Amino acid sequence: MLKELTILEKISLLNGKTPWLTRDISRVGLPSIFMADGPHGIRKEINDTKDSYPATLFPPAATVACTFNKDLAYKMGEALALEAKEKDVQIVLGPGVNIKRNPRCGRNFEYYSEDPILAGKMASSFITGMQKENVGACIKHFAVNSQEKYRFNIDSVVDDRALREIYLKAFKQAVDVNVSSVMASYNLVNGTNACQNKYLLQDILRDEWHYSGLVMSDWGAVNDPVLSIKNGLDLEMPNSNGYNGKIIYQGYKKGRISEAEIDKAALKVIETVNKFKNVSSERADMEAHNELAKNIAREGIVLLKNDKILPIKESDKVAIIGEFAKNPRSQGGGSSNINPYKMESILTEIDNYTKNYKYFPGYSLTDDCYDELLQEEVKSEIENFDKVVIVVGVVNETEGIDRDNIQLPYGQIKLIEEVSRINPNIIVTLSLGSAIEIAFSKKVKAILNCYLLGQVSGTPVLDILYGRVSPSGRLCETYAYKLEDYITSKNFADGNNAVYYEESIFVGYRYFTTFNKKVHYPFGYGLSYSSFEYSDLIVSKKTIEKDEKITVFCKVKNTGNMRAKEVVQLYIENNYSSVYKAKRELKDFVKIDLEPNEEKKVSFVLDYNDFSYYDVLLKKWHVDKGIYKIQICKNADEVILSSDVERKENDKGFVEHQKTAYNLGEWKVTESDFASIMKTTLPPKSTIRKKPYSLNSMAEDFKTSFWGRVLYKQIIRMALAMLPKNASKSEKEYYITGATQMPLRGIVAIGDAGISLVNAEGMVDFANGRVIRGLIKIMKKEK
């Protein structure tokens, strides 16, 4: 087919046709295929409107990760594929495996974990389930895309070890299960746009990992289309209104890009279309998917605290407090926002558990959630209840906007404090997409961390509250006492030009455990209504050898009186070394179901790479000699069983590493220490961008000139005009941020705003002071 195409037809394949379709060429029988957002539901828009078809709203990735259940992730991928086929969608744009570097990231709800092994294993199971049904998955966002502020042009400055050991590892696991497509991110990585980053797209993804699938851009992410295609991108989405196709053709005519390079990318598009073009439509069993969503939600709920108050007895008189009990916080905002085909809440389902309850709103969902009248109503009656369930959470979390803090709204905290003075028998349920400060923990007797439960935000919570199911979720991220405890907080979203990943490999629990920092609840933590006994750890080999595996066995027994599920977590404690390493790292996990007094034997298989780090001197993965510990743990802080294994020699060419600040037992790393491992001068975190502006400028840059400020205000008005009158505060923020922080080239490419290339060029002219010429172009209608 490729041989039959003209050069212009080949180039046309490198751009989308519409916001969601690849380009077809009927002359040679090549159809379009359809893509849709879908990490936790299929969001297919109705006739190019912002409304979407009803679909199952599954719990987002943050909740799925807390299940620690790979089988559930597989089944979720399978179910989403069936709904995709019913809606004639060939590629689902998910899952997302970006690392939860800091809890303030507004899109954390859409990502699995702070740990790349947990993220990678859950994502690869999801992908395998989806692609078994011959629907393509798209792993995203490649790579080092862990903040929303200035996400379109921020430079993620990261050292090679952190890049490979933390930020790329989950992507590698997806590639290992043949994910059909990879989405390159908006941001820069070490000074180069991800969509044209040869080191990422060609050297690592293609040459080192031998990836053979499609590489596409995030929507509107391409900066230089010629360099993108030359350096490993295959498809720009959506369509750039033909603008970038013309640039590629001009580059071809001038010798900047060869036909062979164009052919290589076009061939990947053709192969992907041919692979998925004949997928047959099937009727999805929506009720079965609803039950699957319930199972995921049940197993994703984490019991953080229980002072003998749970489970609730059916005879208990219970107060249910909180607007979220009636109108649940079920998902995050942005491109993953799903139109659920049904929705349940605690209030719609509680009659199936008890009639002995009363509901109080307790707080509003506006501003800081404080409502004095609603709180006074609660206080006037609350002493008359045996138990009090307060349903609270973060009100707004959305793509495009990072959180200002990690606290609950004032009105919710005040409610908990006021109720605790009158009735101490409080159970708090939390609805959120990422970690928060839980300063109120001593004022309550139980805490259920629910994350976000999708369309099934009632039954799973009540099943655990009333003891029909034992909680089995485990935290996918560390809950520190306060935001400042996260070492990443001082270098998170703190500039408009670059962000320093100064902590290197010490992300999440890797920092807290290595440097002996106390946390509120560690990674992997979660309580049960039952108890478990671990015994008989057996390790098949005591030495670590290349090309040889180590099998690990242990026994786990349910010593309680209730059927329950337990997550068995295997970590490796690293050797003493001149190479700085995390103290302990998760390597595998399994979830088992046990009846009372039942015992099961659990096994894991480790290979050489499980013990390795990336050696920047050898330029390869390496296991240096020393004693390592294979550990069976309850969580990242609590070791149950341990056995030593040894690596007796180093690879040829290994040299002892020079000690750095990262090797110290106490964290004293400075910016200059980070620059030393980067081996380069760090770019400025922030810059003032002045005239002359270009299509790569964002509207926020325009504020440095008079006419630019005029235009900036008008762009905000245009963004708000696109919203419905009842738009929420978070929706308004999302649109304003997108309009003012996305480069103009990206706004043209996405096309939602109806701004043509000529209009955008006019904006540039206007902001640069060429007012009349700019206005003429801005007013020009596209034919």
Side-chain angles (χ1 to χ4, degrees), residues 175-190:
V175 168
D176 288 344
V177 296
N178 299 312
V179 66
S180 70
S181 56
V182 174
M183 182 188 291
S185 55
Y186 288 114
N187 55 289
L188 288 72
V189 179
N190 292 333

Side-chain angles (χ1 to χ4, degrees), residues 98-111 145-149 397-406 433-435 483 492-493:
N98 294 106
I99 294 298
K100 297 186 181 188
R101 178 174 174 256
N102 188 276
R104 280 182 53 211
C105 177
R107 209 169 180 177
N108 274 352
F109 66 89
E110 206 174 323
Y111 303 140
N145 176 207
S146 293
Q147 72 179 59
E148 293 300 287
K149 190 174 183 180
E397 286 169 289
T398 183
E399 175 186 349
I401 303 167
D402 293 318
R403 290 154 63 184
D404 294 328
N405 56 60
I406 59 168
S434 190
L483 177 62
F492 179 81

Side-chain angles (χ1 to χ4, degrees), residues 55-59 64 67 69 71-73 75-76 78-80 83 284-300 341-344 349 352-353 453-461 463 468-469 565:
T56 304
L57 169 55
F58 284 93
V64 179
T67 70
N69 189 328
D71 184 54
L72 284 179
K75 290 177 179 177
M76 179 174 164
E78 189 177 39
L80 284 170
E83 292 194 31
D285 187 341
M286 303 298 276
E287 287 304 309
H289 294 176
N290 189 64
E291 289 304 310
L292 174 60
K294 285 182 183 178
N295 289 336
I296 294 169
R298 284 188 196 97
E299 294 198 24
Y341 89 93
K342 67 190 303 183
M343 178 62 72
E344 67 173 44
E349 307 304 309
N352 297 320
Y353 298 80
L453 301 181
Q455 69 184 40
V456 287
S457 296
T459 301
V461 185
D463 279 347
R468 295 187 185 180
V469 174
K565 294 182 178 182

Side-chain angles (χ1 to χ4, degrees), residues 706-776:
F706 173 78
W707 292 110
R709 286 191 292 275
V710 172
L711 182 59
Y712 173 78
K713 293 176 183 178
Q714 182 58 31
I715 287 172
I716 291 176
R717 294 189 195 99
M718 290 169 62
L720 293 175
M722 295 172 64
L723 285 164
K725 291 182 179 179
N726 61 347
S728 66
K729 180 181 177 182
S730 64
E731 286 175 320
K732 291 176 182 177
E733 289 178 351
Y734 175 66
Y735 268 72
I736 290 172
T737 302
T740 59
Q741 291 185 7
M742 177 175 254
L744 287 180
R745 57 170 168 77
I747 294 174
V748 172
I750 288 178
D752 283 358
I755 296 174
S756 69
L757 175 60
V758 172
N759 299 153
E761 289 172 341
M763 291 180 175
V764 172
D765 285 336
F766 187 94
N768 281 327
R770 294 187 286 271
V771 177
I772 302 301
R773 185 166 74 176
L775 283 173
I776 291 170

Side-chain angles (χ1 to χ4, degrees), residues 194-239:
C195 284
Q196 61 193 54
N197 195 307
K198 181 177 179 293
Y199 184 57
L200 287 178
L201 302 184
Q202 189 63 49
D203 298 349
I204 294 177
L205 185 60
R206 295 292 193 198
D207 298 342
E208 189 177 318
W209 295 355
H210 307 294
Y211 179 62
S212 60
L214 179 76
V215 180
M216 71 174 79
S217 73
D218 204 339
W219 267 228
V222 169
N223 177 47
D224 183 325
V226 171
L227 280 180
S228 294
I229 300 302
K230 285 178 72 70
N231 291 339
L233 194 78
D234 303 313
L235 173 64
E236 178 190 0
M237 290 298 292
N239 64 0

